[in-house]
Amino acid sequence: MSILMQYVDRFHEILDKHADQRTTNWFMMSSPFPTLFICLSYVYGVKVLGPKLMENRKPFQLKNVLIVYNLFQMVFSAWLFYEMVHACWWYYFSKFTEFMDTIFFVLRKKNDHVSILHVIHHGCMPMSVWFGVKFTPGGHSTFFGLLNTFVHIVMYTYYLLAAMGPKLQPYLWWKKYLTVFQMIQFVAVMIHAFQLLFIDCNYPKAFVWWIGLHATMFFFLFNEFYQQSYQQKKKRKQQTITNGMKKDHQQNHQTNGMTNGSTGNSSGRRDAADYYVKGDSLAASELNLRKSYTTTE
């Protein structure tokens, strides 16, 4: 144990030697281990402990809590955006408050929302930002935080409106563009970071790669999410419509061959096909068809 503690002390000496002295004594800035412990606890909590505790419980209804939480995050992000140069530690702290995004998913038993992208994004950001606040608070490093807080203003505005209930759903058609906005953010961060590989401004090259590769990783993760959530869903929808039209044609052909001009039956077939194309199950279309036959008889 004493040997291990010697390595830990040596590690802290190296950190303090290269750290920015303005932030050394700030809360949780003296060592990365508390942040690492919280991040690992978060991952374990949302992927293992939380779902197990909620397994035999009813999902919580958190509408009012979500409204308050998202309003807080929106205002907090707006303040950080305004005060970015002076608020790098609070930006670090905001990465912990964002853990609640996932915790609310678990409490509402929406475990399918706790995706790999979601957990990686929230789980590694506090640790990543810790190094920035410890060694390079201000200057070139603040661009990522400044842009990210602006994105979060928009994002939590969306979540706030979504939490207010179905009456606002028609006005939330721009959800997929929010994901595009996030990807544009990462492209901008990559360009801003990697430019220093060609321009010497006395900024640590290690942090150029640290920030740039983070942005690259998140860009590809968000792009994969976008493809799965919107592009593939659009293709499946188009395929469903095509199959529905083929099914409708076959049914009409068979109906016309069997009944030859029965107006009631033909109408019933069209209604069934309409419901099928709109995405209802085949059972629902058959039920509608039987109702149509009953009415005409």
Side-chain angles (χ1 to χ4, degrees), residues 168-201:
L168 292 179
Q169 290 299 319
Y171 305 102
L172 299 179
W173 50 267
W174 45 279
K175 179 181 180 182
K176 73 174 183 178
Y177 298 107
L178 180 57
T179 306
V180 173
F181 190 29
Q182 290 171 316
M183 289 191 290
I184 293 173
Q185 163 198 208
F186 297 127
V187 172
V189 172
M190 279 188 276
I191 294 173
H192 183 263
F194 287 138
Q195 67 174 319
L196 295 190
L197 295 177
F198 311 98
I199 302 172
D200 187 10
C201 68

PDB file of all heavy atoms in Angstrom, residues 168-201:
ATOM      1  N   LEU A 168     -47.443  20.521 -27.200  1.00  0.00           N
ATOM      2  CA  LEU A 168     -46.369  21.219 -27.904  1.00  0.00           C
ATOM      3  C   LEU A 168     -45.647  20.334 -28.916  1.00  0.00           C
ATOM      4  O   LEU A 168     -44.745  20.807 -29.618  1.00  0.00           O
ATOM      5  CB  LEU A 168     -45.347  21.762 -26.890  1.00  0.00           C
ATOM      6  CG  LEU A 168     -45.846  22.889 -25.977  1.00  0.00           C
ATOM      7  CD1 LEU A 168     -44.747  23.311 -25.008  1.00  0.00           C
ATOM      8  CD2 LEU A 168     -46.301  24.085 -26.800  1.00  0.00           C
ATOM      9  N   GLN A 169     -46.017  19.067 -28.992  1.00  0.00           N
ATOM     10  CA  GLN A 169     -45.344  18.148 -29.908  1.00  0.00           C
ATOM     11  C   GLN A 169     -45.350  18.609 -31.371  1.00  0.00           C
ATOM     12  O   GLN A 169     -44.354  18.456 -32.070  1.00  0.00           O
ATOM     13  CB  GLN A 169     -45.970  16.748 -29.799  1.00  0.00           C
ATOM     14  CG  GLN A 169     -45.681  16.037 -28.482  1.00  0.00           C
ATOM     15  CD  GLN A 169     -44.200  15.815 -28.250  1.00  0.00           C
ATOM     16  OE1 GLN A 169     -43.469  15.472 -29.172  1.00  0.00           O
ATOM     17  NE2 GLN A 169     -43.759  16.017 -27.025  1.00  0.00           N
ATOM     18  N   PRO A 170     -46.461  19.177 -31.867  1.00  0.00           N
ATOM     19  CA  PRO A 170     -46.440  19.621 -33.271  1.00  0.00           C
ATOM     20  C   PRO A 170     -45.375  20.666 -33.579  1.00  0.00           C
ATOM     21  O   PRO A 170     -45.007  20.853 -34.739  1.00  0.00           O
ATOM     22  CB  PRO A 170     -47.854  20.198 -33.470  1.00  0.00           C
ATOM     23  CG  PRO A 170     -48.693  19.528 -32.437  1.00  0.00           C
ATOM     24  CD  PRO A 170     -47.790  19.356 -31.259  1.00  0.00           C
ATOM     25  N   TYR A 171     -44.875  21.359 -32.539  1.00  0.00           N
ATOM     26  CA  TYR A 171     -43.903  22.413 -32.746  1.00  0.00           C
ATOM     27  C   TYR A 171     -42.458  21.925 -32.552  1.00  0.00           C
ATOM     28  O   TYR A 171     -41.522  22.724 -32.609  1.00  0.00           O
ATOM     29  CB  TYR A 171     -44.168  23.569 -31.786  1.00  0.00           C
ATOM     30  CG  TYR A 171     -45.574  24.107 -31.882  1.00  0.00           C
ATOM     31  CD1 TYR A 171     -46.534  23.764 -30.939  1.00  0.00           C
ATOM     32  CD2 TYR A 171     -45.960  24.933 -32.937  1.00  0.00           C
ATOM     33  CE1 TYR A 171     -47.846  24.239 -31.025  1.00  0.00           C
ATOM     34  CE2 TYR A 171     -47.262  25.406 -33.036  1.00  0.00           C
ATOM     35  CZ  TYR A 171     -48.187  25.055 -32.080  1.00  0.00           C
ATOM     36  OH  TYR A 171     -49.479  25.528 -32.176  1.00  0.00           O
ATOM     37  N   LEU A 172     -42.290  20.616 -32.341  1.00  0.00           N
ATOM     38  CA  LEU A 172     -40.964  20.058 -32.075  1.00  0.00           C
ATOM     39  C   LEU A 172     -40.459  19.228 -33.247  1.00  0.00           C
ATOM     40  O   LEU A 172     -39.714  18.269 -33.079  1.00  0.00           O
ATOM     41  CB  LEU A 172     -41.005  19.206 -30.798  1.00  0.00           C
ATOM     42  CG  LEU A 172     -41.405  19.961 -29.530  1.00  0.00           C
ATOM     43  CD1 LEU A 172     -41.449  19.024 -28.338  1.00  0.00           C
ATOM     44  CD2 LEU A 172     -40.448  21.112 -29.260  1.00  0.00           C
ATOM     45  N   TRP A 173     -40.848  19.618 -34.449  1.00  0.00           N
ATOM     46  CA  TRP A 173     -40.450  18.894 -35.661  1.00  0.00           C
ATOM     47  C   TRP A 173     -38.950  19.007 -35.931  1.00  0.00           C
ATOM     48  O   TRP A 173     -38.397  18.263 -36.735  1.00  0.00           O
ATOM     49  CB  TRP A 173     -41.218  19.463 -36.865  1.00  0.00           C
ATOM     50  CG  TRP A 173     -41.143  20.962 -36.951  1.00  0.00           C
ATOM     51  CD1 TRP A 173     -42.032  21.857 -36.440  1.00  0.00           C
ATOM     52  CD2 TRP A 173     -40.084  21.734 -37.542  1.00  0.00           C
ATOM     53  NE1 TRP A 173     -41.612  23.143 -36.686  1.00  0.00           N
ATOM     54  CE2 TRP A 173     -40.420  23.096 -37.371  1.00  0.00           C
ATOM     55  CE3 TRP A 173     -38.902  21.410 -38.216  1.00  0.00           C
ATOM     56  CZ2 TRP A 173     -39.611  24.126 -37.829  1.00  0.00           C
ATOM     57  CZ3 TRP A 173     -38.088  22.432 -38.673  1.00  0.00           C
ATOM     58  CH2 TRP A 173     -38.447  23.782 -38.479  1.00  0.00           C
ATOM     59  N   TRP A 174     -38.276  19.923 -35.266  1.00  0.00           N
ATOM     60  CA  TRP A 174     -36.876  20.213 -35.564  1.00  0.00           C
ATOM     61  C   TRP A 174     -35.897  19.370 -34.744  1.00  0.00           C
ATOM     62  O   TRP A 174     -34.708  19.670 -34.696  1.00  0.00           O
ATOM     63  CB  TRP A 174     -36.588  21.689 -35.328  1.00  0.00           C
ATOM     64  CG  TRP A 174     -37.161  22.243 -34.050  1.00  0.00           C
ATOM     65  CD1 TRP A 174     -38.438  22.661 -33.829  1.00  0.00           C
ATOM     66  CD2 TRP A 174     -36.462  22.452 -32.809  1.00  0.00           C
ATOM     67  NE1 TRP A 174     -38.578  23.117 -32.534  1.00  0.00           N
ATOM     68  CE2 TRP A 174     -37.382  23.007 -31.892  1.00  0.00           C
ATOM     69  CE3 TRP A 174     -35.142  22.231 -32.403  1.00  0.00           C
ATOM     70  CZ2 TRP A 174     -37.031  23.318 -30.587  1.00  0.00           C
ATOM     71  CZ3 TRP A 174     -34.784  22.550 -31.100  1.00  0.00           C
ATOM     72  CH2 TRP A 174     -35.734  23.095 -30.215  1.00  0.00           C
ATOM     73  N   LYS A 175     -36.369  18.269 -34.160  1.00  0.00           N
ATOM     74  CA  LYS A 175     -35.500  17.442 -33.313  1.00  0.00           C
ATOM     75  C   LYS A 175     -34.272  16.938 -34.063  1.00  0.00           C
ATOM     76  O   LYS A 175     -33.152  17.011 -33.571  1.00  0.00           O
ATOM     77  CB  LYS A 175     -36.285  16.257 -32.758  1.00  0.00           C
ATOM     78  CG  LYS A 175     -35.444  15.332 -31.887  1.00  0.00           C
ATOM     79  CD  LYS A 175     -36.256  14.160 -31.387  1.00  0.00           C
ATOM     80  CE  LYS A 175     -35.398  13.244 -30.524  1.00  0.00           C
ATOM     81  NZ  LYS A 175     -36.157  12.068 -30.054  1.00  0.00           N
ATOM     82  N   LYS A 176     -34.472  16.411 -35.283  1.00  0.00           N
ATOM     83  CA  LYS A 176     -33.329  15.835 -36.003  1.00  0.00           C
ATOM     84  C   LYS A 176     -32.306  16.907 -36.378  1.00  0.00           C
ATOM     85  O   LYS A 176     -31.114  16.625 -36.496  1.00  0.00           O
ATOM     86  CB  LYS A 176     -33.791  15.070 -37.234  1.00  0.00           C
ATOM     87  CG  LYS A 176     -34.263  15.916 -38.402  1.00  0.00           C
ATOM     88  CD  LYS A 176     -34.556  15.009 -39.605  1.00  0.00           C
ATOM     89  CE  LYS A 176     -34.960  15.811 -40.827  1.00  0.00           C
ATOM     90  NZ  LYS A 176     -35.204  14.929 -41.999  1.00  0.00           N
ATOM     91  N   TYR A 177     -32.768  18.151 -36.543  1.00  0.00           N
ATOM     92  CA  TYR A 177     -31.834  19.224 -36.870  1.00  0.00           C
ATOM     93  C   TYR A 177     -30.973  19.596 -35.661  1.00  0.00           C
ATOM     94  O   TYR A 177     -29.890  20.155 -35.818  1.00  0.00           O
ATOM     95  CB  TYR A 177     -32.600  20.440 -37.389  1.00  0.00           C
ATOM     96  CG  TYR A 177     -33.365  20.130 -38.655  1.00  0.00           C
ATOM     97  CD1 TYR A 177     -34.749  20.007 -38.641  1.00  0.00           C
ATOM     98  CD2 TYR A 177     -32.693  19.923 -39.863  1.00  0.00           C
ATOM     99  CE1 TYR A 177     -35.452  19.702 -39.802  1.00  0.00           C
ATOM    100  CE2 TYR A 177     -33.384  19.614 -41.026  1.00  0.00           C
ATOM    101  CZ  TYR A 177     -34.767  19.502 -40.987  1.00  0.00           C
ATOM    102  OH  TYR A 177     -35.445  19.193 -42.134  1.00  0.00           O
ATOM    103  N   LEU A 178     -31.449  19.261 -34.473  1.00  0.00           N
ATOM    104  CA  LEU A 178     -30.649  19.463 -33.273  1.00  0.00           C
ATOM    105  C   LEU A 178     -29.435  18.538 -33.297  1.00  0.00           C
ATOM    106  O   LEU A 178     -28.325  18.946 -32.915  1.00  0.00           O
ATOM    107  CB  LEU A 178     -31.505  19.194 -32.027  1.00  0.00           C
ATOM    108  CG  LEU A 178     -30.837  19.352 -30.665  1.00  0.00           C
ATOM    109  CD1 LEU A 178     -30.270  20.759 -30.505  1.00  0.00           C
ATOM    110  CD2 LEU A 178     -31.839  19.060 -29.549  1.00  0.00           C
ATOM    111  N   THR A 179     -29.631  17.308 -33.749  1.00  0.00           N
ATOM    112  CA  THR A 179     -28.508  16.379 -33.883  1.00  0.00           C
ATOM    113  C   THR A 179     -27.522  16.871 -34.928  1.00  0.00           C
ATOM    114  O   THR A 179     -26.300  16.780 -34.749  1.00  0.00           O
ATOM    115  CB  THR A 179     -29.024  14.973 -34.262  1.00  0.00           C
ATOM    116  OG1 THR A 179     -30.016  14.550 -33.317  1.00  0.00           O
ATOM    117  CG2 THR A 179     -27.885  13.966 -34.279  1.00  0.00           C
ATOM    118  N   VAL A 180     -28.032  17.405 -36.040  1.00  0.00           N
ATOM    119  CA  VAL A 180     -27.163  17.986 -37.076  1.00  0.00           C
ATOM    120  C   VAL A 180     -26.369  19.151 -36.495  1.00  0.00           C
ATOM    121  O   VAL A 180     -25.169  19.309 -36.756  1.00  0.00           O
ATOM    122  CB  VAL A 180     -27.997  18.456 -38.284  1.00  0.00           C
ATOM    123  CG1 VAL A 180     -27.120  19.205 -39.288  1.00  0.00           C
ATOM    124  CG2 VAL A 180     -28.673  17.273 -38.956  1.00  0.00           C
ATOM    125  N   PHE A 181     -27.029  19.974 -35.691  1.00  0.00           N
ATOM    126  CA  PHE A 181     -26.379  21.113 -35.041  1.00  0.00           C
ATOM    127  C   PHE A 181     -25.236  20.632 -34.155  1.00  0.00           C
ATOM    128  O   PHE A 181     -24.147  21.240 -34.117  1.00  0.00           O
ATOM    129  CB  PHE A 181     -27.418  21.877 -34.226  1.00  0.00           C
ATOM    130  CG  PHE A 181     -26.953  23.203 -33.691  1.00  0.00           C
ATOM    131  CD1 PHE A 181     -25.999  23.950 -34.353  1.00  0.00           C
ATOM    132  CD2 PHE A 181     -27.487  23.701 -32.509  1.00  0.00           C
ATOM    133  CE1 PHE A 181     -25.577  25.178 -33.863  1.00  0.00           C
ATOM    134  CE2 PHE A 181     -27.077  24.924 -32.004  1.00  0.00           C
ATOM    135  CZ  PHE A 181     -26.122  25.654 -32.681  1.00  0.00           C
ATOM    136  N   GLN A 182     -25.445  19.535 -33.437  1.00  0.00           N
ATOM    137  CA  GLN A 182     -24.398  18.983 -32.583  1.00  0.00           C
ATOM    138  C   GLN A 182     -23.209  18.500 -33.408  1.00  0.00           C
ATOM    139  O   GLN A 182     -22.053  18.688 -33.014  1.00  0.00           O
ATOM    140  CB  GLN A 182     -24.973  17.845 -31.735  1.00  0.00           C
ATOM    141  CG  GLN A 182     -25.931  18.329 -30.659  1.00  0.00           C
ATOM    142  CD  GLN A 182     -26.651  17.175 -29.975  1.00  0.00           C
ATOM    143  OE1 GLN A 182     -27.107  16.242 -30.627  1.00  0.00           O
ATOM    144  NE2 GLN A 182     -26.754  17.234 -28.660  1.00  0.00           N
ATOM    145  N   MET A 183     -23.475  17.884 -34.556  1.00  0.00           N
ATOM    146  CA  MET A 183     -22.380  17.409 -35.409  1.00  0.00           C
ATOM    147  C   MET A 183     -21.597  18.588 -35.996  1.00  0.00           C
ATOM    148  O   MET A 183     -20.365  18.525 -36.104  1.00  0.00           O
ATOM    149  CB  MET A 183     -22.925  16.501 -36.507  1.00  0.00           C
ATOM    150  CG  MET A 183     -23.402  15.149 -36.001  1.00  0.00           C
ATOM    151  SD  MET A 183     -23.745  13.960 -37.316  1.00  0.00           S
ATOM    152  CE  MET A 183     -25.225  14.665 -38.046  1.00  0.00           C
ATOM    153  N   ILE A 184     -22.308  19.657 -36.374  1.00  0.00           N
ATOM    154  CA  ILE A 184     -21.620  20.859 -36.875  1.00  0.00           C
ATOM    155  C   ILE A 184     -20.699  21.417 -35.790  1.00  0.00           C
ATOM    156  O   ILE A 184     -19.581  21.872 -36.066  1.00  0.00           O
ATOM    157  CB  ILE A 184     -22.648  21.912 -37.317  1.00  0.00           C
ATOM    158  CG1 ILE A 184     -23.418  21.420 -38.558  1.00  0.00           C
ATOM    159  CG2 ILE A 184     -21.972  23.246 -37.608  1.00  0.00           C
ATOM    160  CD1 ILE A 184     -24.566  22.319 -38.969  1.00  0.00           C
ATOM    161  N   GLN A 185     -21.168  21.362 -34.545  1.00  0.00           N
ATOM    162  CA  GLN A 185     -20.355  21.804 -33.409  1.00  0.00           C
ATOM    163  C   GLN A 185     -19.026  21.055 -33.372  1.00  0.00           C
ATOM    164  O   GLN A 185     -17.952  21.664 -33.224  1.00  0.00           O
ATOM    165  CB  GLN A 185     -21.134  21.552 -32.117  1.00  0.00           C
ATOM    166  CG  GLN A 185     -20.300  21.577 -30.865  1.00  0.00           C
ATOM    167  CD  GLN A 185     -21.001  20.898 -29.693  1.00  0.00           C
ATOM    168  OE1 GLN A 185     -20.766  21.229 -28.544  1.00  0.00           O
ATOM    169  NE2 GLN A 185     -21.859  19.934 -29.968  1.00  0.00           N
ATOM    170  N   PHE A 186     -19.072  19.730 -33.532  1.00  0.00           N
ATOM    171  CA  PHE A 186     -17.850  18.931 -33.435  1.00  0.00           C
ATOM    172  C   PHE A 186     -16.905  19.201 -34.613  1.00  0.00           C
ATOM    173  O   PHE A 186     -15.684  19.176 -34.447  1.00  0.00           O
ATOM    174  CB  PHE A 186     -18.196  17.443 -33.347  1.00  0.00           C
ATOM    175  CG  PHE A 186     -18.983  17.088 -32.118  1.00  0.00           C
ATOM    176  CD1 PHE A 186     -20.178  16.391 -32.217  1.00  0.00           C
ATOM    177  CD2 PHE A 186     -18.539  17.468 -30.864  1.00  0.00           C
ATOM    178  CE1 PHE A 186     -20.912  16.068 -31.090  1.00  0.00           C
ATOM    179  CE2 PHE A 186     -19.258  17.160 -29.717  1.00  0.00           C
ATOM    180  CZ  PHE A 186     -20.453  16.458 -29.830  1.00  0.00           C
ATOM    181  N   VAL A 187     -17.455  19.452 -35.793  1.00  0.00           N
ATOM    182  CA  VAL A 187     -16.618  19.807 -36.944  1.00  0.00           C
ATOM    183  C   VAL A 187     -15.891  21.124 -36.667  1.00  0.00           C
ATOM    184  O   VAL A 187     -14.685  21.263 -36.928  1.00  0.00           O
ATOM    185  CB  VAL A 187     -17.462  19.908 -38.230  1.00  0.00           C
ATOM    186  CG1 VAL A 187     -16.626  20.475 -39.370  1.00  0.00           C
ATOM    187  CG2 VAL A 187     -18.027  18.546 -38.619  1.00  0.00           C
ATOM    188  N   ALA A 188     -16.611  22.089 -36.123  1.00  0.00           N
ATOM    189  CA  ALA A 188     -16.005  23.391 -35.805  1.00  0.00           C
ATOM    190  C   ALA A 188     -14.900  23.241 -34.760  1.00  0.00           C
ATOM    191  O   ALA A 188     -13.837  23.878 -34.859  1.00  0.00           O
ATOM    192  CB  ALA A 188     -17.082  24.360 -35.310  1.00  0.00           C
ATOM    193  N   VAL A 189     -15.132  22.385 -33.766  1.00  0.00           N
ATOM    194  CA  VAL A 189     -14.125  22.155 -32.722  1.00  0.00           C
ATOM    195  C   VAL A 189     -12.885  21.474 -33.314  1.00  0.00           C
ATOM    196  O   VAL A 189     -11.748  21.823 -32.968  1.00  0.00           O
ATOM    197  CB  VAL A 189     -14.718  21.317 -31.578  1.00  0.00           C
ATOM    198  CG1 VAL A 189     -13.619  20.898 -30.591  1.00  0.00           C
ATOM    199  CG2 VAL A 189     -15.795  22.106 -30.847  1.00  0.00           C
ATOM    200  N   MET A 190     -13.101  20.504 -34.220  1.00  0.00           N
ATOM    201  CA  MET A 190     -11.964  19.834 -34.867  1.00  0.00           C
ATOM    202  C   MET A 190     -11.098  20.833 -35.624  1.00  0.00           C
ATOM    203  O   MET A 190      -9.866  20.838 -35.508  1.00  0.00           O
ATOM    204  CB  MET A 190     -12.473  18.747 -35.819  1.00  0.00           C
ATOM    205  CG  MET A 190     -12.858  17.437 -35.157  1.00  0.00           C
ATOM    206  SD  MET A 190     -13.232  16.161 -36.384  1.00  0.00           S
ATOM    207  CE  MET A 190     -14.950  16.535 -36.739  1.00  0.00           C
ATOM    208  N   ILE A 191     -11.741  21.688 -36.408  1.00  0.00           N
ATOM    209  CA  ILE A 191     -11.004  22.689 -37.194  1.00  0.00           C
ATOM    210  C   ILE A 191     -10.257  23.642 -36.268  1.00  0.00           C
ATOM    211  O   ILE A 191      -9.081  23.949 -36.474  1.00  0.00           O
ATOM    212  CB  ILE A 191     -11.971  23.463 -38.108  1.00  0.00           C
ATOM    213  CG1 ILE A 191     -12.574  22.527 -39.164  1.00  0.00           C
ATOM    214  CG2 ILE A 191     -11.255  24.634 -38.780  1.00  0.00           C
ATOM    215  CD1 ILE A 191     -13.667  23.167 -39.992  1.00  0.00           C
ATOM    216  N   HIS A 192     -10.946  24.097 -35.236  1.00  0.00           N
ATOM    217  CA  HIS A 192     -10.343  25.046 -34.293  1.00  0.00           C
ATOM    218  C   HIS A 192      -9.162  24.424 -33.558  1.00  0.00           C
ATOM    219  O   HIS A 192      -8.137  25.096 -33.321  1.00  0.00           O
ATOM    220  CB  HIS A 192     -11.400  25.520 -33.289  1.00  0.00           C
ATOM    221  CG  HIS A 192     -10.903  26.537 -32.330  1.00  0.00           C
ATOM    222  ND1 HIS A 192     -10.470  26.223 -31.058  1.00  0.00           N
ATOM    223  CD2 HIS A 192     -10.758  27.891 -32.436  1.00  0.00           C
ATOM    224  CE1 HIS A 192     -10.101  27.311 -30.427  1.00  0.00           C
ATOM    225  NE2 HIS A 192     -10.257  28.350 -31.235  1.00  0.00           N
ATOM    226  N   ALA A 193      -9.280  23.146 -33.196  1.00  0.00           N
ATOM    227  CA  ALA A 193      -8.204  22.488 -32.445  1.00  0.00           C
ATOM    228  C   ALA A 193      -7.017  22.165 -33.335  1.00  0.00           C
ATOM    229  O   ALA A 193      -5.869  22.527 -33.040  1.00  0.00           O
ATOM    230  CB  ALA A 193      -8.741  21.218 -31.784  1.00  0.00           C
ATOM    231  N   PHE A 194      -7.275  21.508 -34.466  1.00  0.00           N
ATOM    232  CA  PHE A 194      -6.180  20.989 -35.296  1.00  0.00           C
ATOM    233  C   PHE A 194      -5.443  22.081 -36.065  1.00  0.00           C
ATOM    234  O   PHE A 194      -4.361  21.824 -36.610  1.00  0.00           O
ATOM    235  CB  PHE A 194      -6.710  19.933 -36.261  1.00  0.00           C
ATOM    236  CG  PHE A 194      -7.062  18.631 -35.590  1.00  0.00           C
ATOM    237  CD1 PHE A 194      -8.224  17.942 -35.939  1.00  0.00           C
ATOM    238  CD2 PHE A 194      -6.246  18.091 -34.610  1.00  0.00           C
ATOM    239  CE1 PHE A 194      -8.550  16.741 -35.326  1.00  0.00           C
ATOM    240  CE2 PHE A 194      -6.559  16.890 -33.993  1.00  0.00           C
ATOM    241  CZ  PHE A 194      -7.713  16.214 -34.348  1.00  0.00           C
ATOM    242  N   GLN A 195      -5.973  23.298 -36.111  1.00  0.00           N
ATOM    243  CA  GLN A 195      -5.245  24.374 -36.785  1.00  0.00           C
ATOM    244  C   GLN A 195      -3.914  24.653 -36.092  1.00  0.00           C
ATOM    245  O   GLN A 195      -2.955  25.108 -36.730  1.00  0.00           O
ATOM    246  CB  GLN A 195      -6.097  25.646 -36.819  1.00  0.00           C
ATOM    247  CG  GLN A 195      -6.331  26.267 -35.445  1.00  0.00           C
ATOM    248  CD  GLN A 195      -7.052  27.598 -35.499  1.00  0.00           C
ATOM    249  OE1 GLN A 195      -6.750  28.405 -36.369  1.00  0.00           O
ATOM    250  NE2 GLN A 195      -7.991  27.811 -34.600  1.00  0.00           N
ATOM    251  N   LEU A 196      -3.858  24.343 -34.793  1.00  0.00           N
ATOM    252  CA  LEU A 196      -2.629  24.618 -34.048  1.00  0.00           C
ATOM    253  C   LEU A 196      -1.528  23.609 -34.333  1.00  0.00           C
ATOM    254  O   LEU A 196      -0.415  23.750 -33.819  1.00  0.00           O
ATOM    255  CB  LEU A 196      -2.925  24.654 -32.543  1.00  0.00           C
ATOM    256  CG  LEU A 196      -3.839  25.798 -32.079  1.00  0.00           C
ATOM    257  CD1 LEU A 196      -3.861  25.896 -30.569  1.00  0.00           C
ATOM    258  CD2 LEU A 196      -3.418  27.125 -32.685  1.00  0.00           C
ATOM    259  N   LEU A 197      -1.840  22.586 -35.129  1.00  0.00           N
ATOM    260  CA  LEU A 197      -0.779  21.701 -35.600  1.00  0.00           C
ATOM    261  C   LEU A 197       0.060  22.402 -36.665  1.00  0.00           C
ATOM    262  O   LEU A 197       1.180  21.983 -36.971  1.00  0.00           O
ATOM    263  CB  LEU A 197      -1.377  20.413 -36.178  1.00  0.00           C
ATOM    264  CG  LEU A 197      -2.122  19.504 -35.187  1.00  0.00           C
ATOM    265  CD1 LEU A 197      -2.726  18.317 -35.918  1.00  0.00           C
ATOM    266  CD2 LEU A 197      -1.194  19.029 -34.066  1.00  0.00           C
ATOM    267  N   PHE A 198      -0.475  23.480 -37.234  1.00  0.00           N
ATOM    268  CA  PHE A 198       0.199  24.223 -38.291  1.00  0.00           C
ATOM    269  C   PHE A 198       0.542  25.657 -37.875  1.00  0.00           C
ATOM    270  O   PHE A 198       1.249  26.359 -38.595  1.00  0.00           O
ATOM    271  CB  PHE A 198      -0.682  24.267 -39.549  1.00  0.00           C
ATOM    272  CG  PHE A 198      -1.210  22.922 -39.949  1.00  0.00           C
ATOM    273  CD1 PHE A 198      -2.499  22.536 -39.587  1.00  0.00           C
ATOM    274  CD2 PHE A 198      -0.420  22.027 -40.647  1.00  0.00           C
ATOM    275  CE1 PHE A 198      -2.993  21.294 -39.951  1.00  0.00           C
ATOM    276  CE2 PHE A 198      -0.893  20.779 -41.014  1.00  0.00           C
ATOM    277  CZ  PHE A 198      -2.184  20.405 -40.662  1.00  0.00           C
ATOM    278  N   ILE A 199       0.006  26.072 -36.718  1.00  0.00           N
ATOM    279  CA  ILE A 199       0.252  27.430 -36.212  1.00  0.00           C
ATOM    280  C   ILE A 199       0.835  27.317 -34.812  1.00  0.00           C
ATOM    281  O   ILE A 199       0.258  26.641 -33.945  1.00  0.00           O
ATOM    282  CB  ILE A 199      -1.052  28.253 -36.164  1.00  0.00           C
ATOM    283  CG1 ILE A 199      -1.690  28.330 -37.554  1.00  0.00           C
ATOM    284  CG2 ILE A 199      -0.781  29.653 -35.613  1.00  0.00           C
ATOM    285  CD1 ILE A 199      -3.067  28.969 -37.543  1.00  0.00           C
ATOM    286  N   ASP A 200       1.940  27.954 -34.561  1.00  0.00           N
ATOM    287  CA  ASP A 200       2.586  27.885 -33.249  1.00  0.00           C
ATOM    288  C   ASP A 200       2.144  29.079 -32.404  1.00  0.00           C
ATOM    289  O   ASP A 200       2.442  30.228 -32.723  1.00  0.00           O
ATOM    290  CB  ASP A 200       4.111  27.896 -33.420  1.00  0.00           C
ATOM    291  CG  ASP A 200       4.827  27.658 -32.097  1.00  0.00           C
ATOM    292  OD1 ASP A 200       4.139  27.294 -31.121  1.00  0.00           O
ATOM    293  OD2 ASP A 200       6.063  27.830 -32.046  1.00  0.00           O
ATOM    294  N   CYS A 201       1.403  28.788 -31.337  1.00  0.00           N
ATOM    295  CA  CYS A 201       0.980  29.865 -30.436  1.00  0.00           C
ATOM    296  C   CYS A 201       1.244  29.493 -28.976  1.00  0.00           C
ATOM    297  O   CYS A 201       0.539  29.944 -28.072  1.00  0.00           O
ATOM    298  CB  CYS A 201      -0.490  30.199 -30.650  1.00  0.00           C
ATOM    299  SG  CYS A 201      -1.633  28.905 -30.131  1.00  0.00           S
TER     300      CYS A 201
END
